[in-house]
Amino acid sequence: MMATDLTLYTNPQSRGRIARWMLEEVSAPYEVVLLNYAEAMKQPSYLSINPMGKVPALVHRGKVVTECAAICAYLAESFPDAELAPRDDERADYFRWLFYAAGPVEAAVTNRSLGVVPDDRQQRFVGYGSYDSVVDVLEAAVAAHPFIAGDRFTAADVYVGAQVIWGLQFGSLPSRDTFAAYAERLTARAAYQRASGLDDAAIAAAA
């Protein structure tokens, strides 16, 4: 392994792909520890890093960061030379849509995949309201600018973009031209392609 103060704990068939993409965007050297679901993620050695027994987890100079949206924001601030943190005129949209994707979008998509459909009364209690409204609002946000916070790619696009890319791939989001165009812009990025190649190679090696 290379000498570095960044270690990514991940599985290539997980949300860890988001963290890998973000690490490639900031161009920081990092080590990777691949964990399987059945055993390694539940071992005490890993639970001491992330008690949830989930991946990804990022360890940077002895500090642990979990949750993909947090990892994206953390790396953007920790490696400012990559210029992926928001500028003043981008901050509102950056934080709004980063956490919208991590909150309402994640919850609505997960519930739908589990067959959970809140009725009119229940929609007042769940944070996202309804799946359809979440998707429509996300589409409007994606359509407003080339990237989620404006005309420039930021760390928020890694997380929001992953939701859209995977949503189209797995059918958890409807196929709409706006989503497809946004996904095409993101998957064309060199960092995305590097990260995907590394994770795909790890999957092939484990087969």
Side-chain angles (χ1 to χ4, degrees), residues 6 15 64 84 93 101 123 125 156 170:
L6 267 173
R15 288 176 174 82
V64 178
L84 296 178
D93 283 337
Q123 286 179 21
F125 298 98
F170 295 108

Side-chain angles (χ1 to χ4, degrees), residues 8 59 61 137 161 176 204:
L8 174 65
V59 178
R61 298 174 181 169
V137 170
R176 296 182 181 178

Side-chain angles (χ1 to χ4, degrees), residues 43-64:
Q43 293 300 310
S45 58
Y46 183 63
L47 293 175
S48 69
I49 294 169
N50 185 1
M52 290 291 290
K54 302 284 188 179
V55 291
L58 184 72
V59 178
H60 185 212
R61 298 174 181 169
K63 298 293 186 178
V64 178

